Amino acid sequence: MTKMKILALLSFPAAICASINPRARSPAFLSDTNKPAILVRGGDLGPINGDAVAKTFGVLATGDAIGGTVSTAALYKKFHITVLPGSNGEHYLGHGIASSAASLAITSLLALTDTTSVEEAIGFGILARSAYMTEMLLTGKYKELGVPTVPHVMVYLLLLATAFCLISGNSDGTTLAKLVSVLLAGHGSLLFLNPRIDEDDDTKQMAKVDGGYMFISSLFSALLAFGVDPVKAMGYVAIGCFPLFVSFIGLVEDDAVVLGLNPEQWTFVAALFVGASAFAMLT
């Protein structure tokens, strides 16, 4: 069974089910009467609509998920980034980013469009990440990366249990969501700050990007689980996107020009975009 078939069977049906079975948001998560004033829905002040910007980040994450799942090496070559097919670097920039991006995209778009409750949105996002972990288990890729079997399976089962509790409305779902999100965010931040892998510098840089994306994706779920409004949560995620983007730019060839801009110019554009987006969503 190919990667695309596995993901189609395990991930996308979950999103479809969510879209045709909308429910009201859970008061435990987002009731304005139970929240301090600082957590009211963001993005209503200022010249830019924060809600629309937050959804834009969800759409961008969808693109990252698709790009990381299909022809990773060929795709990055267009951006002057060398990725060897079948290498661990391709895994980090492909499977790694795609799993976090799919989770962020599904969670954010379901929550921001009121299609499901926030609990369910987090659950479906975790289910998407679990689909990619299923593929790792079936192919044995985690062994090539030096990941021990027992911890990998334990985290996999924890993700499935958390997703089930959240989607089914189990009262333990919120607690599990907080635990899982903080756990993944911590792992992602450590991988971003100090990728302790026995690889060359370029592969380590790719692992940093993977870790950074895991961090921002899990941060969004964690903020939702702790009661932060989806738009404001995405605003905090936007801030985290800038160091992630800088790490990604570090993979681009020094003299490369992408869409008419060199890496330094893209960094400047990213700073402006992230700054304006975060301001719109947090004010």
Side-chain angles (χ1 to χ4, degrees), residues 7-278:
L7 299 181
L9 286 172
L10 298 178
S11 180
F12 294 107
I16 295 173
C17 289
S19 67
I20 63 177
N21 184 30
R23 299 182 188 176
R25 292 190 177 197
S26 169
F29 273 78
L30 290 179
S31 174
D32 287 338
T33 60
N34 296 328
K35 295 190 303 181
I38 194 173
L39 295 182
V40 297
R41 192 168 185 86
D44 294 329
L45 301 178
I48 305 175
N49 186 292
D51 186 73
V53 174
K55 291 174 183 175
T56 299
F57 272 78
V59 173
L60 291 174
T62 301
D64 290 338
I66 296 173
T69 303
V70 183
S71 303
T72 303
L75 174 66
Y76 283 109
K77 185 176 181 180
K78 299 180 184 298
F79 294 94
H80 300 275
I81 297 175
T82 301
V83 182
L84 297 178
S87 66
N88 287 344
E90 184 181 41
H91 169 83
Y92 292 126
L93 291 185
H95 179 283
I97 286 181
S99 62
S100 296
S103 180
L104 177 60
I106 290 176
T107 301
S108 62
L109 292 177
L110 290 179
L112 289 165
T113 58
D114 295 315
T115 303
T116 68
S117 67
V118 173
E119 299 99 321
E120 291 172 317
I122 299 173
F124 283 116
I126 292 175
L127 200 60
R129 184 183 293 279
S130 300
Y132 286 84
M133 290 191 71
T134 300
E135 187 249 340
M136 284 188 69
L137 283 170
L138 293 178
T139 61
K141 182 64 179 180
Y142 70 96
K143 295 180 181 178
E144 297 178 24
L145 297 170
V147 179
T149 300
V150 174
H152 185 78
V153 172
M154 289 180 64
V155 171
Y156 174 68
L157 293 176
L158 178 60
L159 290 178
L160 291 179
T162 303
F164 174 79
C165 289
L166 289 166
I167 295 171
S168 64
N170 188 291
S171 59
D172 294 326
T174 303
T175 301
L176 286 173
K178 294 176 181 178
L179 173 64
V180 167
S181 299
V182 171
L183 177 67
L184 293 177
H187 176 68
S189 63
L190 289 176
L191 185 59
F192 177 77
L193 295 172
N194 185 20
R196 296 184 177 182
I197 56 176
D198 187 18
E199 298 282 358
D200 58 77
D201 290 341
D202 286 341
T203 303
K204 287 184 178 181
Q205 187 71 10
M206 295 173 189
K208 281 176 62 75
V209 175
D210 178 13
Y213 217 124
M214 181 184 293
F215 172 75
I216 63 170
S217 175
S218 302
L219 174 65
F220 183 74
S221 295
L223 290 173
L224 293 187
F226 281 98
V228 178
D229 175 81
V231 174
K232 285 186 175 292
M234 190 60 81
Y236 293 117
V237 166
I239 296 174
C241 284
F242 183 68
L244 171 60
F245 184 82
V246 172
S247 294
F248 180 80
I249 285 295
L251 292 169
V252 180
E253 298 171 5
D254 293 336
D255 58 348
V257 175
V258 180
L259 299 178
L261 300 177
N262 61 36
E264 291 76 16
Q265 292 169 326
W266 271 115
T267 301
F268 179 73
V269 170
L272 292 178
F273 175 71
V274 167
S277 299

